Amino acid sequence: MEKRSFEQDMKIESSTLINELIELTTQHIALAQQLQNNSPEELNKRPYEGSWSTLECIEHLNRYADFYLPEIEQRIKSSSAPSRKIFKSGLLGNYFANMMLPKRKLNKMKTFKQMDPIGSQLTADVIRTFILQQQRLIHILNTAREADLQKIKTSISISRWIKIRLGDTFRILIYHNERHMQQIKRIGIL
């Protein structure tokens, strides 16, 4: 994916955004498939005390997908707004999406308790679940080609009262995945 500098009022063709997000999600699936070749010991290894293992990173992403995938599907299904050619990011959605993008010096973020997998008993099934969720996400992204990425709004995981544009929701979810895929690469088991 071409690294794009996202400005305050990011504008992009809807189809281009969806294609870029599908490409990134496809890369995440490929990485997860590679992880399946590792032993349970490698997958559960933490690089240092208090950090997450590979499986904990993946489980964290699964927990977010458990919230966002049904939320997105329901919002698309209940909308009759036709697609529009250009997507313009909202101020709050663009802010959250940019926060999720991996940076050279990653800013640490506090994880909400229900999304924190540390200490969970995890198996490689976590990876299979992730792959299935990402395949479902690609299907949803393709469905969204016929939806209005700007007019349709979704709740976010930290508050059902805050609503952001569908295109921004996709960006937040997939950039968050990318952030943790980079973390997994730094663990060094690939």
Side-chain angles (χ1 to χ4, degrees):
M1 176 177 148
E2 169 192 330
K3 294 294 179 196
R4 179 187 308 282
S5 72
F6 290 98
E7 293 140 21
Q8 201 73 357
D9 61 341
M10 192 253 323
K11 286 183 188 177
I12 186 172
E13 281 192 32
S14 296
S15 61
T16 301
L17 177 61
I18 289 173
N19 290 341
E20 288 178 0
L21 295 174
I22 287 173
E23 180 184 332
L24 205 47
T25 303
T26 301
Q27 291 170 15
H28 298 158
I29 292 170
L31 181 69
Q33 289 169 332
Q34 284 182 289
L35 291 172
Q36 292 179 313
N37 298 323
N38 292 87
S39 71
E41 294 75 31
E42 291 171 313
L43 294 169
N44 280 297
K45 179 184 167 216
R46 290 196 182 117
Y48 55 89
E49 183 69 31
S51 66
W52 287 351
S53 69
T54 297
L55 288 182
E56 287 168 333
C57 288
I58 298 289
E59 174 62 14
H60 173 70
L61 298 178
N62 289 347
R63 291 177 185 191
Y64 275 97
D66 286 344
F67 171 81
Y68 279 107
L69 298 183
E71 171 70 10
I72 292 168
E73 285 174 323
Q74 188 272 323
R75 299 295 177 161
I76 291 173
K77 188 177 179 181
S78 65
S79 174
S80 59
S83 64
R84 71 175 75 195
K85 189 170 175 65
I86 302 295
F87 169 71
K88 183 175 185 244
S89 184
L91 187 63
L92 188 60
N94 197 47
Y95 171 76
F96 285 139
N98 286 327
M99 262 182 35
M100 289 300 135
L101 278 170
K103 296 165 187 65
R104 181 164 285 195
K105 178 153 171 49
L106 205 54
N107 53 325
K108 289 210 172 215
M109 302 176 111
K110 182 83 172 124
T111 301
F112 291 98
K113 186 175 173 91
Q114 71 269 22
M115 299 301 186
D116 190 344
I118 202 154
S120 302
Q121 297 297 321
L122 302 172
T123 67
D125 287 341
V126 168
I127 298 172
R128 283 188 282 283
T129 299
F130 177 78
I131 291 169
L132 291 172
Q133 286 179 330
Q134 298 312 297
Q135 290 168 338
R136 180 177 169 195
L137 178 55
I138 288 173
H139 174 75
I140 295 168
L141 283 160
N142 279 314
T143 300
R145 291 182 190 282
E146 304 303 317
D148 188 332
L149 300 180
Q150 193 167 308
K151 187 172 183 181
I152 298 172
K153 304 228 170 150
T154 67
S155 295
I156 60 173
S157 61
I158 59 173
S159 170
R160 291 198 176 266
W161 304 108
I162 299 172
K163 303 259 193 275
I164 60 171
R165 295 173 182 181
L166 177 60
D168 287 328
T169 303
F170 280 131
R171 292 172 61 221
I172 291 166
L173 179 61
I174 295 166
Y175 295 169
H176 181 245
N177 289 349
E178 177 65 13
R179 178 185 190 87
H180 288 289
M181 289 293 140
Q182 295 298 322
Q183 181 180 359
I184 288 168
K185 288 178 183 176
R186 285 192 304 277
I187 291 172
I189 66 169
L190 289 175

